[in-house]
Amino acid sequence: MGARAGGGGLELRFGSINLLLLLIFFITSLFLNVYFIFFFFSYSSVFSPWSVPGWSRSAAEEAEAVAAISCSGHGRAFVDGVMIDGRPSCECNTCYHGSDCSLHSVDCPADADSGNPLFLEPYWYRHAKGSAVVVAGWHRMGYVTTGENFISVELERHIRMLHRNVGNAVADDRFIIFGAGSTQLLYALVHALSPHNSSSPASVVASIPYYPVYRMQVDLFDSKLAEWRGVTSNWVNESSSSSSSSSDGSMNNFIEFVTSPNNPDGLLKHSILGGSSVIYDYAYYWPHFTAIPAASDHNVMIFSSSKLSGHAGSRFGWALIKDEQVYKKAIEYMKLNTMGVSRDTQLRMLKIIKVILAENGRKGDIFSFGYQTMRERWTKLNKVVSKSRRFSLQTIPSQYCNYFKTIRGPSPAYAWLKCERDEDQECDVVLKNAGINGREGSLFEADDRYVRLSLVQTQDDFDQLVQKMDALVSDHQSISSV
């Protein structure tokens, strides 16, 4: 009896020890789990902030608060605007002022000089949610991105999709480079197309009226590889007979700029000299500015977000290139010049193009919106100008557009106004005296009887242009009737 009792006590003691060990093991395990969980989240909060929800909330709240600031429909506020009384101030449209842009200066001249593409601003107001981008403080801090040569693979893919959907250019089986707007790409491609083993520089030419930056850049860089040689038509006969007239072949080294639709007159253009060294500037070759008769398929083609989506401030452009050697030279230039386009800009443009593609072909997409806006402006200005024989505008024929699948009327970015009277030799002076600031024809190497008037700015800018133009035409009619 005593032995059995002693054995039972021993079993009880061993059971208590086992229970104690289990309890210790459980407490230790619990402690270690709590410790590692705490360590994981502490570590994540320092090195992986994206795992903590809500980190972008304050940035979104700040952006929405600034967007809600009222500027009376004649301006807008930005997160990086000048701070007044603790918040960003309104940035007013031309001829408007005051803390909320509600005051209008009647005697202020109409600004028809700049090509600032703010006519698309209302479209992006409507797509504020879909086009918003939050850029984290650690976003792509290094030099590299997903593709070679500092190019985002996804952005490149979406640009090719965009061209396929719009039908304005053959983008498949082409090399692509990015630039800080089309402006940076202009000279990069002059450099790439210039013969690097020739004793004579390439001759860079364009047809009147042409975008003056072509000439300005070539003169500014003053390279041994290329020089500005003026108007294309002056060289047509000489270039065709150059093989017999030039022992070193220097006359064969032409680089021709072709802008289509042309800046300033909005006409579709083609190469005069022909050959492979032609740079097609297609900044305006989008359905809101012109009919798209066919997908262009040239050796070198430049495009820009400035006139595609209106995001001129993002400074983003791209070029489609057929020849690999030309592409490699252009890439080398871009690497040494800027090491590629800002990765933040590429992120924003990827988002913008995604919105455009999502809406593509639907009622009210960016091209329908843009075309309707530009068409209305062109029609309204034409109606005013046609009241008097003192002025005239360029004639742009209606044309079938493959994007809209119909014949469409003109909707150019600029009016190419001509003063028809003999005494109006300086048309820009005539307009300035009437309170209209345009861009004189001589800047485009044309006659100063011409003035370029911008139609792509804000609705306020356009309304003031039409109002001043109508007053000028009416004054002339009154004088003529006396």
Side-chain angles (χ1 to χ4, degrees):
M1 184 75 181
R4 285 197 298 269
L10 185 62
E11 288 177 3
L12 182 61
R13 284 196 296 274
F14 276 118
S16 300
I17 292 171
N18 288 336
L19 182 63
L20 180 62
L21 289 173
L22 285 173
L23 182 61
I24 293 171
F25 177 79
F26 174 75
I27 293 173
T28 303
S29 176
L30 182 64
F31 173 78
L32 288 173
N33 276 285
V34 170
Y35 172 78
F36 283 120
I37 290 172
F38 175 78
F39 177 81
F40 174 78
F41 282 107
S42 297
Y43 185 88
S44 297
S45 66
V46 175
F47 295 102
S48 303
W50 54 84
S51 65
V52 181
W55 63 267
S56 63
R57 187 173 299 127
S58 63
E61 289 173 351
E62 180 186 23
E64 292 192 10
V66 172
I69 295 174
S70 173
C71 298
S72 304
H74 301 296
R76 76 284 304 151
F78 298 104
V79 172
D80 63 346
V82 176
M83 300 294 287
I84 296 178
D85 296 330
R87 70 174 193 171
S89 57
C90 287
E91 298 179 19
C92 303
N93 294 340
T94 306
C95 299
Y96 285 88
H97 62 282
S99 60
D100 62 352
C101 304
S102 60
L103 304 177
H104 181 231
S105 300
V106 179
D107 297 329
C108 173
D111 177 17
D113 178 48
S114 172
N116 215 12
L118 293 175
F119 76 103
L120 288 171
E121 198 174 46
Y123 176 84
W124 293 110
Y125 285 153
R126 299 176 189 177
H127 293 81
K129 182 178 180 180
S131 61
V133 178
V134 176
V135 182
W138 63 88
H139 175 74
R140 298 210 178 277
M141 293 173 63
Y143 292 114
V144 299
T145 182
T146 50
E148 296 180 352
N149 302 314
F150 314 109
I151 285 179
S152 161
V153 169
E154 276 302 293
L155 179 54
E156 177 185 348
R157 186 172 71 86
H158 279 77
I159 286 173
R160 296 185 193 277
M161 288 172 57
L162 178 67
H163 284 299
R164 284 196 296 269
N165 287 6
V166 175
N168 62 341
V170 176
D172 295 330
D173 300 320
R174 298 292 183 274
F175 297 100
I176 188 168
I177 63 171
F178 294 168
S182 60
T183 305
Q184 186 183 30
L185 293 169
L186 298 177
Y187 197 80
L189 291 166
V190 168
H191 172 87
L193 290 169
S194 298
H196 289 219
N197 56 356
S198 174
S199 59
S200 300
S203 299
V204 185
V205 296
S207 296
I208 295 174
Y210 60 80
Y211 182 47
V213 173
Y214 304 150
R215 179 188 72 249
M216 293 175 179
Q217 283 198 0
V218 173
D219 289 344
L220 174 67
F221 288 106
D222 193 22
S223 169
K224 294 179 180 179
L225 297 177
E227 65 179 356
W228 182 257
R229 298 300 293 274
V231 183
T232 310
S233 59
N234 293 342
W235 299 94
V236 172
N237 294 332
E238 294 187 57
S239 64
S240 62
S241 60
S242 62
S243 59
S244 60
S245 63
S246 177
S247 59
D248 65 358
S250 61
M251 290 300 297
N252 288 320
N253 299 333
F254 277 91
I255 299 174
E256 181 185 4
F257 275 106
V258 177
T259 314
S260 185
N262 193 33
N263 175 5
D265 59 21
L267 300 176
L268 293 174
K269 299 285 187 176
H270 301 281
S271 170
I272 294 177
L273 294 179
S276 59
S277 295
V278 180
I279 300 173
Y280 276 87
D281 186 346
Y282 281 135
Y284 297 88
Y285 196 52
W286 298 103
H288 35 263
F289 294 123
T290 183
I292 307 295
S296 291
D297 184 14
H298 298 290
N299 292 333
V300 178
M301 301 180 287
I302 297 178
F303 298 87
S304 169
S305 67
S306 170
K307 302 306 183 288
L308 160 65
S309 64
H311 291 87
S314 293
R315 307 310 305 136
F316 181 75
W318 66 95
L320 302 174
I321 303 172
K322 278 187 182 180
D323 185 84
E324 186 175 4
Q325 293 307 311
V326 173
Y327 164 73
K328 286 181 177 179
K329 289 179 181 178
I331 283 294
E332 178 188 31
Y333 178 93
M334 298 302 294
K335 282 182 177 179
L336 295 175
N337 188 283
T338 56
M339 295 184 70
V341 175
S342 161
R343 316 310 179 253
D344 295 354
T345 290
Q346 293 189 49
L347 174 64
R348 186 185 192 194
M349 292 318 305
L350 174 60
K351 188 70 169 180
I352 292 299
I353 293 177
K354 282 182 177 180
V355 173
I356 293 174
L357 287 171
E359 295 288 314
N360 188 62
R362 298 180 183 177
K363 183 179 179 181
D365 73 356
I366 192 169
F367 300 119
S368 298
F369 174 88
Y371 171 66
Q372 182 179 0
T373 302
M374 298 308 298
R375 179 64 181 158
E376 288 175 356
R377 292 185 180 188
W378 174 250
T379 302
K380 193 169 184 177
L381 182 62
N382 247 302
K383 185 177 180 180
V384 171
V385 172
S386 64
K387 293 178 183 179
S388 170
R389 291 189 222 175
R390 185 179 183 182
F391 307 101
S392 64
L393 294 174
Q394 76 268 36
T395 300
I396 302 176
S398 297
Q399 194 170 359
Y400 184 83
C401 177
N402 278 319
Y403 181 79
F404 290 123
K405 306 299 181 186
T406 187
I407 295 174
R408 45 151 286 171
S411 56
Y414 306 105
W416 190 230
L417 184 86
K418 182 181 180 182
C419 285
E420 297 287 356
R421 296 196 316 187
D422 292 338
E423 57 267 36
D424 293 337
Q425 294 296 315
E426 295 181 322
C427 196
D428 68 304
V429 174
V430 174
L431 295 183
K432 282 181 180 178
N433 290 337
I436 301 172
N437 292 331
R439 196 164 292 187
E440 61 268 30
S442 57
L443 283 175
F444 306 90
E445 209 166 325
D447 195 296
D448 268 337
R449 293 165 66 90
Y450 289 91
V451 174
R452 191 194 79 170
L453 300 176
S454 175
L455 307 182
V456 297
Q457 299 199 84
T458 67
Q459 190 63 41
D460 284 338
D461 287 313
F462 177 73
D463 290 342
Q464 286 162 154
L465 167 62
V466 170
Q467 181 183 5
K468 300 281 187 181
M469 198 72 213
D470 190 45
L472 175 58
V473 168
S474 297
D475 287 346
H476 177 250
Q477 286 179 309
S478 300
I479 294 171
S480 299
S481 63
V482 174

